[in-house]
């Protein structure tokens, strides 16, 4: 049973607005993971291992030191950073949320030509733009000229961010 149907079945008195809010909170919970005590230990371990560029790649995990000058743009809403070597795009969407996406363009795979226009990532290689709301997801080099970029879950601890690439 789909989540929305389950919620409607369980709580018929919920209003449409409440359902929308609940659903959006649940969707956010799937991709913004709160730091556990194990995460805190891991962040403390890697804090001494960041490279000069302010990040660390360990397998499918990318750790980012948000206090590093290379990530200063993420202090502002709509500020973004393309961590080319790590294959991730980071964008600050509100005061408490930084989202991470695959930086491989769904059109022909360019990784270095991103700008943000009206809350969407635009690849300047051929001018196609992609949403950050996970609507109609399109994958790397799938020849797609629209749709949503693939998002990765993030964990935030103090000024450290962990991105788990799929
Ligand atoms: S490779 Fe990005 S728009 Fe063509």
């Amino acid at each position: 049973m789909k989540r929305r149907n389950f919620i409607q079945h369980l709580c018929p008195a919920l209003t449409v607005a409440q359902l929308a809010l609940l659903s959006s909170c649940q969707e956010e919970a799937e991709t913004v993971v709160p730091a556990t005590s194990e995460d805190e230990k891991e962040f403390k371990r890697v804090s001494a291992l960041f490279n000069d560029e302010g990040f660390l790649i360990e397998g499918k995990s990318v750790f980012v030191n948000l206090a590093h000058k290379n990530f200063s743009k993420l202090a502002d809403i709509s500020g973004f950073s393309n961590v080319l070597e790590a294959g991730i795009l980071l964008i600050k969407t509100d005061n408490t949320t930084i989202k991470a996406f695959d930086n491989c363009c769904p059109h022909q795979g360019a990784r270095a030509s991103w700008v943000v226009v009206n809350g969407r990532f635009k690849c300047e290689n051929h001018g196609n733009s992609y949403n950050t709301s996970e609507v109609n997801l399109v994958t790397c080099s799938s020849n797609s000229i629209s749709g949503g970029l693939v998002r990765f879950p993030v964990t935030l601890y103090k000024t450290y961010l962990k991105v788990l690439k799929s």
Side-chain angles (χ1 to χ4, degrees), residues 16-164:
V16 172
Q18 286 170 317
L19 280 172
L21 180 62
L22 189 55
S23 294
S24 83
C25 289
Q26 288 176 338
E27 285 163 13
E28 195 69 19
E30 291 170 358
T31 47
V32 180
V33 183
T36 63
S37 57
E38 286 302 307
D39 292 323
E40 290 183 20
K41 281 186 203 160
E42 187 176 38
F43 280 118
K44 285 174 183 165
R45 176 183 65 78
V46 303
S47 64
L49 304 175
F50 286 108
N51 62 19
D52 291 344
E53 303 301 311
F55 65 91
L56 170 71
I57 301 170
E58 272 190 350
K60 290 186 173 183
S61 297
V62 181
F63 297 89
V64 175
N65 180 4
L66 297 172
H68 191 281
K69 63 178 170 30
N70 282 358
F71 300 101
S72 60
K73 289 181 181 169
L74 293 171
D76 301 322
I77 292 172
S78 295
F80 79 100
S81 179
N82 184 358
V83 192
L84 264 179
E85 289 176 57
I88 58 171
L89 280 169
L90 300 173
I91 183 167
K92 183 164 187 168
T93 55
D94 63 39
N95 281 331
T96 57
T97 307
I98 293 176
K99 294 181 178 179
F101 296 92
D102 188 352
N103 76 352
C104 180
C105 180
H107 183 219
Q108 292 182 1
R111 292 183 183 270
S113 304
W114 294 107
V115 294
V116 172
V117 179
N118 296 327
R120 296 168 63 89
F121 277 109
K122 178 180 177 184
C123 174
E124 293 195 311
N125 212 25
H126 302 102
N128 299 312
S129 62
Y130 303 91
N131 72 66
T132 59
S133 47
E134 300 172 271
V135 176
N136 299 324
L137 287 182
V138 283
T139 55
C140 174
S141 295
S142 57
N143 210 29
S144 304
I145 60 170
S146 63
L149 293 181
V150 172
R151 186 174 170 192
F152 300 133
V154 302
T155 305
L156 185 63
Y157 173 70
K158 296 186 177 175
T159 61
Y160 302 130
L161 188 76
K162 176 183 176 183
V163 178
L164 186 58

Side-chain angles (χ1 to χ4, degrees), residues 2-17:
K2 288 197 178 265
R3 183 184 324 163
R4 182 177 295 270
N5 292 343
F6 174 76
I7 293 168
Q8 285 172 328
H9 177 75
L10 196 65
C11 307
L14 287 176
T15 65
V16 172

